[in-house]
Amino acid sequence: MRRFKFTLESVLTVRKKALEDARIKLASITGIFNQQQEILKEMQTALENIRNDSEKYLFEETFNPCIVSNYNAFSNKIVQDITTQKLIIEKTKVDLIKQQEITKQAYIQVKSLEKLKEKQKAQYDKEVLQEEFKLIDDIVNSRRTIA
């Protein structure tokens, strides 16, 4: 009796590998995106702390315009860095969405081949069952003719 052999098994293997690669890349991009979000939160916290320190220094009795100017310049630099970080996050978000779509397509391709394999396996099982019934019927009929 012949064994079941899925003719597109090599294609299925390649697509499974592509899906796994896409998932790994998606996980990597998601990790990078999360790191960038954390960096942005840290920058915003640092900006808030600098502004609070600057306000405290403004109301102290030992007022020095040079120090206030330095606080202001540093807070402006952090604001620029925050803007740059937001742009980086937006670019990463676009990459993340693209990779999600690639992963989704790879998943659909694998699932469609797996469904085809299941259908062919069910058809094979049905044919094997019919052959077995036919064989049993032939054995029963041959015994009847002998007896």
Side-chain angles (χ1 to χ4, degrees):
M1 191 172 296
R2 61 183 168 87
R3 288 182 155 183
F4 174 72
K5 183 168 181 357
F6 184 55
T7 55
L8 298 174
E9 190 67 44
S10 60
V11 175
L12 179 60
T13 304
V14 169
R15 287 190 179 172
K16 282 182 178 179
K17 175 69 173 134
L19 174 61
E20 187 62 29
D21 291 346
R23 284 181 173 168
I24 290 170
K25 190 170 182 182
L26 179 62
S28 172
I29 292 173
T30 302
I32 290 169
F33 181 75
N34 291 338
Q35 287 175 345
Q36 290 173 347
Q37 291 281 26
E38 287 297 318
I39 291 170
L40 178 63
K41 286 179 186 176
E42 289 172 6
M43 288 178 169
Q44 290 170 336
T45 303
L47 178 64
E48 189 175 316
N49 290 339
I50 288 172
R51 286 185 176 165
N52 290 339
D53 290 346
S54 174
E55 286 179 16
K56 286 179 187 175
Y57 191 77
L58 276 173
F59 297 116
E60 287 183 357
E61 292 178 16
T62 57
F63 178 75
N64 186 344
C66 186
I67 293 176
V68 173
S69 174
N70 285 342
Y71 271 117
N72 191 24
F74 190 59
S75 67
N76 287 339
K77 182 198 177 309
I78 291 179
V79 167
Q80 289 175 350
D81 290 347
I82 287 173
T83 304
T84 303
Q85 186 65 23
K86 285 180 180 179
L87 291 174
I88 291 170
I89 288 173
E90 285 302 314
K91 288 179 183 178
T92 305
K93 191 173 185 178
V94 168
D95 291 343
L96 182 65
I97 291 170
K98 285 179 185 177
Q99 190 59 39
Q100 285 174 337
E101 186 60 34
I102 290 169
T103 304
K104 180 181 173 184
Q105 291 301 319
Y107 179 78
I108 290 171
Q109 290 176 345
V110 167
K111 282 300 173 187
S112 64
L113 273 181
E114 285 177 345
K115 284 182 181 180
L116 179 62
K117 182 178 179 178
E118 288 174 10
K119 283 182 182 180
Q120 287 185 3
K121 175 72 169 139
Q123 181 66 28
Y124 169 79
D125 290 342
K126 184 178 175 182
E127 290 172 3
V128 167
L129 190 60
Q130 286 176 350
E131 287 178 19
E132 288 175 355
F133 281 141
K134 188 177 180 182
L135 184 64
I136 291 172
D137 194 33
D138 287 344
I139 292 171
V140 169
N141 285 337
S142 67
R143 293 211 177 189
R144 284 186 189 165
T145 56
I146 294 175

